[in-house]
Amino acid sequence: MKEIIQSKLDRMSDLQQRRILKNMMLDVFKGIIDYQEDVNQEIENRLFNEIQDRDDNFTIYNTIVKREKLDIVSDCLFPMKEEDYEEEQYDKKEILEKIRNNEPVKITKIYLKKSYPELIKMEREKHKFKGLIISEDKEIPIDIVLQHNEEYIAIEEEMYKIFMQNAVRWTTINNPYIRKFYDVVIAGCQEDMGELNEFEEIVFDLAELEEDKCVGYVPVWNIKKTTIKGEGFPLPTKDKVNYEHVIPYKNLGYENGYLLAPNQNMISLRKNKDGIIITSNESNSIVWELFAVLQENNSLINDQYEFSLLSNKKKKSFVDSFFNKGDKVIRSYSELNRMLKSFEVTNDLQIKGINILDDLSALEKDISYDFNSYIVDEIRADKFRKVLVIEFEAMELDYLKNDLISFITSEIQQYFPEYICKGVID
């Protein structure tokens, strides 16, 4: 309104009249205009807050860090496994015993800085690498193989189940790192070890993979497990059957997302200005196990990590919040691209087109994989589902290109359960 008035005044040729009218207009209408703008802003804020996406509190950040650089007093990123704070230990006698019994023995794990197609090719070729068991008086050649590490994916799967138990919408975790971990396994020994029951070390050579192996790294994320007791006595709810346990924000934060750990007597969990409210039929004040998904911390947005800090963070948008609130159905390319660009990490991606294939055998190249492979569709059988191929615009990305495509394709998959979704990019 101010701009309109100013524009009208600017077109007046008589400067004296312009000055008089300007003073009059501003004196009379400025207060009214300011008041109306404040009211409009308040209505906008109330409307936005009313449909605010709950996912805001559950953005998950992750990266990998060198074990010796793990910060034990960190208040933002934590190892996915508590055991990763400690150096890997192995029992030498147990290793030798298993080798004698021709049993495979895991000795460590590594991160391979390779693209998804390169890793798939490596797994299919089933390479054997050379290694040595070094003792005081001899070196014994051994065969080394790499086996895909599943332990961190299993932890992520457990977190998915916790999200479901807490009735919180699951957003695909953008964590390609844990999918590039491999166990280094002794597959066999080429010589008789004799009476050997002690050795100094085990060394191995991964040939062409040597320069891409990262040893001693562990995955971290912004999920912290904590235990805390409710404050005061539990208060009966309106139904006179259950009780509300209040956990104040003394050592917590309102901005974080909270999930109750499994096997606890919870009916619901919500937040208000007083604290976290857990509704339960438990009448006594007890200690609760919580998972806090930490959000507001400068360490979660700066660039201080050796490997990029990735997340499933969504851009704050009224349209996206409104869309997510109602679980709307995607019917057009524009809606699909809107969903694609709702994530910060996929802002530069663009969908070029989609194709429908009868089955996976018609797919010329398979360059994406399912980040949510542990979510099993128990209703629809794959043999009855057609394949939805999503073609992305070509762009320059690093070795995580296929993983980024896989991340967004996995998220799209949740909107199209009637198809098997696959992503392709030139």
Side-chain angles (χ1 to χ4, degrees):
M1 181 61 75
K2 290 178 182 175
E3 287 76 12
I4 294 174
I5 294 174
Q6 187 63 50
S7 175
K8 296 285 187 185
L9 291 172
D10 290 342
R11 287 202 289 271
M12 293 182 65
S13 56
D14 190 322
L15 298 180
Q16 181 62 24
Q17 288 187 359
R18 184 195 294 184
R19 184 179 300 109
I20 295 172
L21 187 58
K22 179 181 179 182
N23 292 334
M24 184 179 70
M25 294 296 287
L26 293 180
D27 287 344
V28 174
F29 291 107
K30 184 175 182 299
I32 298 175
I33 294 170
D34 289 343
Y35 174 77
Q36 186 61 48
E37 288 179 348
D38 291 342
V39 170
N40 290 344
Q41 185 64 47
E42 185 179 350
I43 293 173
E44 183 180 326
N45 292 339
R46 287 175 58 188
L47 183 60
F48 188 83
N49 292 334
E50 182 68 22
I51 66 164
Q52 191 172 15
D53 196 344
R54 198 183 172 197
D55 295 351
D56 284 351
N57 302 126
F58 292 97
T59 298
I60 295 179
Y61 298 83
N62 39 256
T63 183
I64 56 173
V65 298
K66 197 80 172 172
R67 189 191 308 275
E68 53 261 33
K69 291 186 178 179
L70 278 175
D71 184 0
I72 59 173
V73 294
S74 172
D75 56 358
C76 58
L77 290 177
F78 312 89
M80 292 182 71
K81 281 181 62 180
E82 282 282 327
E83 298 86 339
D84 281 341
Y85 279 118
E86 307 295 332
E87 286 291 334
E88 287 182 305
Q89 301 287 337
Y90 48 73
D91 187 324
K92 295 180 179 179
K93 290 184 178 178
E94 182 182 356
I95 289 176
L96 294 173
E97 184 66 24
K98 287 188 174 182
I99 292 174
R100 287 192 176 94
N101 295 330
N102 293 320
E103 296 179 32
V105 191
K106 173 188 169 183
I107 53 174
T108 188
K109 58 178 175 280
I110 59 171
Y111 174 79
L112 283 181
K113 198 175 177 182
K114 286 283 193 182
S115 69
Y116 170 70
E118 290 172 324
L119 293 175
I120 291 298
K121 181 173 181 290
M122 178 199 75
E123 290 182 16
R124 286 174 180 162
E125 292 175 349
K126 298 181 179 177
H127 285 296
K128 276 190 177 179
F129 305 97
K130 302 299 181 187
L132 291 171
I133 296 177
I134 301 175
S135 65
E136 284 186 354
D137 53 355
K138 62 180 177 181
E139 294 181 351
I140 302 173
I142 52 175
D143 292 326
I144 297 289
V145 296
L146 299 180
Q147 294 180 354
H148 194 245
N149 181 290
E150 302 286 342
E151 58 185 336
Y152 297 113
I153 298 176
I155 294 173
E156 189 178 281
E157 180 181 359
E158 286 303 311
M159 189 52 60
Y160 161 74
K161 293 176 180 174
I162 293 169
F163 267 69
M164 294 300 101
Q165 290 164 3
N166 283 265
V168 177
R169 183 185 181 277
W170 177 254
T171 300
T172 305
I173 299 179
N174 181 23
N175 192 348
Y177 299 120
I178 61 174
R179 290 157 174 87
K180 298 180 187 293
F181 272 91
Y182 285 82
D183 292 333
V184 179
V185 177
I186 299 176
C189 180
Q190 300 171 8
E191 292 182 3
D192 182 10
M193 294 191 296
E195 299 297 323
L196 184 69
N197 56 19
E198 186 62 58
F199 60 87
E200 295 178 355
E201 62 175 332
I202 298 174
V203 296
F204 56 89
D205 183 357
L206 297 184
E208 68 274 12
L209 298 177
E210 271 296 309
E211 63 180 26
D212 296 311
K213 79 173 183 185
C214 301
V215 181
Y217 283 78
V218 297
V220 294
W221 61 4
N222 60 321
I223 299 177
K224 178 184 180 182
K225 188 174 183 180
T226 185
T227 55
I228 192 164
K229 191 174 183 180
E231 188 175 72
F233 295 103
L235 299 174
T237 56
K238 291 181 180 178
D239 60 13
K240 308 298 183 185
V241 175
N242 300 305
Y243 299 84
E244 286 188 344
H245 301 251
V246 180
I247 300 175
Y249 296 120
K250 289 178 182 175
N251 298 315
L252 306 170
Y254 176 78
E255 68 281 358
N256 303 322
Y258 295 98
L259 303 163
L260 210 60
N263 303 320
Q264 296 190 82
N265 195 8
M266 177 195 73
I267 294 175
S268 69
L269 182 151
R270 71 180 194 280
K271 297 191 303 183
N272 67 14
K273 60 181 178 56
D274 298 322
I276 302 167
I277 312 297
I278 298 174
T279 302
S280 168
N281 57 18
E282 175 61 57
S283 60
N284 298 315
S285 182
I286 62 173
V287 175
W288 299 94
E289 289 187 1
L290 284 174
F291 287 96
V293 186
L294 306 178
Q295 300 298 304
E296 297 297 330
N297 192 307
N298 290 334
S299 298
L300 292 175
I301 55 176
N302 61 29
D303 193 22
Q304 61 176 301
Y305 303 101
E306 179 182 349
F307 287 80
S308 299
L309 184 67
L310 301 177
S311 79
N312 56 1
K313 185 177 178 60
K314 291 185 175 181
K315 291 178 286 188
K316 288 187 177 180
S317 158
F318 178 85
V319 174
D320 290 328
S321 299
F322 182 74
F323 185 88
N324 292 332
K325 183 81 173 177
D327 289 330
K328 302 292 187 302
V329 177
I330 294 177
R331 299 181 189 279
S332 66
Y333 279 108
S334 58
E335 289 178 334
L336 198 57
N337 271 308
R338 182 209 52 76
M339 197 277 282
L340 167 74
K341 292 181 177 298
S342 66
F343 291 94
E344 288 189 349
V345 294
T346 55
N347 190 53
D348 296 330
L349 276 180
Q350 184 76 28
I351 293 176
K352 187 167 66 174
I354 61 172
N355 286 317
I356 307 293
L357 304 178
D358 287 335
D359 53 54
L360 285 171
S361 64
L363 191 65
E364 294 182 359
K365 55 181 179 181
D366 188 4
I367 64 156
S368 70
Y369 60 95
D370 189 3
F371 270 54
N372 298 317
S373 57
Y374 40 76
I375 303 178
V376 179
D377 192 333
E378 298 171 327
I379 309 298
R380 304 163 190 83
D382 281 354
K383 63 180 180 181
F384 298 122
R385 292 198 293 170
K386 293 191 174 183
V387 180
L388 176 66
V389 182
I390 306 157
E391 298 179 9
F392 295 92
E393 295 276 5
M395 60 184 305
E396 290 296 325
L397 290 169
D398 62 7
Y399 75 105
L400 296 176
K401 175 174 72 174
N402 297 90
D403 305 283
L404 181 61
I405 301 302
S406 300
F407 160 66
I408 193 61
T409 303
S410 302
E411 185 63 16
I412 292 173
Q413 176 73 76
Q414 299 197 66
Y415 292 88
F416 295 95
E418 67 273 29
Y419 293 105
I420 299 172
C421 293
K422 290 289 182 181
V424 296
I425 191 170
D426 294 329

